[in-house]
Amino acid sequence: MNNTNIPKLSGIDHCHLNVDNLSNAVKWYERVLGFSVVPELAFWDEDGRGPLTLEDSSSTTRLALFEGEGRSKGIAFLATGEQFIQWLNHLESLNIKAVLADHGVTFSMYFKDESGNSHEITSHDYRYIKSYYPNVELGSHSAKNN
């Protein structure tokens, strides 16, 4: 397959997420991940069921929340090794269960939001994280928090 004619992407603009309760989800994303509503896009949420667009504090990642049934596939957020450790500590401080996975070249942690959507934070700083978690075996998924 020749991919030379496929236009390049600049990154992820936003990810769609179904949530059980829009108001509760906004609070969760604010409290846990530091996201806030994008004021200039709030008008899309005409009926209180979305889409309501949230953005992280760096204005690099956006989520479009929809109140409705069904689970979303979730989002894989990118982190440096240092950020990865900080996020693991942050989730632990909030009593949010995180599951670590050693993928051989990357590490990931998996967690769920208040609506049960699964998310991932992944880092390519494998050696750095492995030095903190040498007992997580290759290919394994081990719970860090309960």
Side-chain angles (χ1 to χ4, degrees):
M1 177 179 210
N2 184 352
N3 291 337
T4 58
N5 294 329
I6 297 175
K8 293 185 179 189
L9 297 171
S10 297
I12 296 173
D13 181 70
H14 68 280
C15 296
H16 292 214
L17 291 175
N18 293 340
V19 298
D20 295 332
N21 179 291
L22 191 59
S23 177
N24 289 346
V26 169
K27 290 174 190 170
W28 190 91
Y29 281 96
E30 286 175 344
R31 179 176 64 89
V32 175
L33 296 174
F35 281 74
S36 59
V37 173
V38 178
E40 61 270 21
L41 302 178
F43 71 95
W44 285 335
D45 180 29
E46 293 177 2
D47 63 0
R49 297 178 48 87
L52 187 58
T53 304
L54 307 182
E55 184 174 73
D56 72 323
S57 60
S58 301
S59 299
T60 59
T61 306
R62 287 186 172 180
L63 310 175
L65 304 182
F66 297 82
E67 190 171 299
E69 294 183 24
R71 296 288 173 248
S72 305
K73 294 285 186 186
I75 302 164
F77 298 100
L78 181 63
T80 65
E82 186 175 320
Q83 291 168 335
F84 187 92
I85 302 302
Q86 292 170 352
W87 275 107
L88 196 57
N89 292 333
H90 175 66
L91 293 175
E92 185 176 47
S93 75
L94 295 171
N95 293 317
I96 295 173
K97 180 181 177 181
V99 176
L100 291 179
D102 180 341
H103 300 301
V105 294
T106 63
F107 260 86
S108 293
M109 72 178 81
Y110 300 94
F111 61 99
K112 293 186 178 184
D113 68 14
E114 54 83 37
S115 295
N117 294 305
S118 296
H119 297 295
E120 171 184 357
I121 296 176
T122 194
S123 178
H124 297 267
D125 291 340
Y126 180 81
R127 289 184 187 158
Y128 182 85
I129 297 166
K130 189 68 173 180
S131 72
Y132 279 84
Y133 298 101
N135 297 328
V136 176
E137 295 180 13
L138 181 65
S140 71
H141 291 71
S142 56
K144 171 68 176 152
N145 308 323
N146 294 317

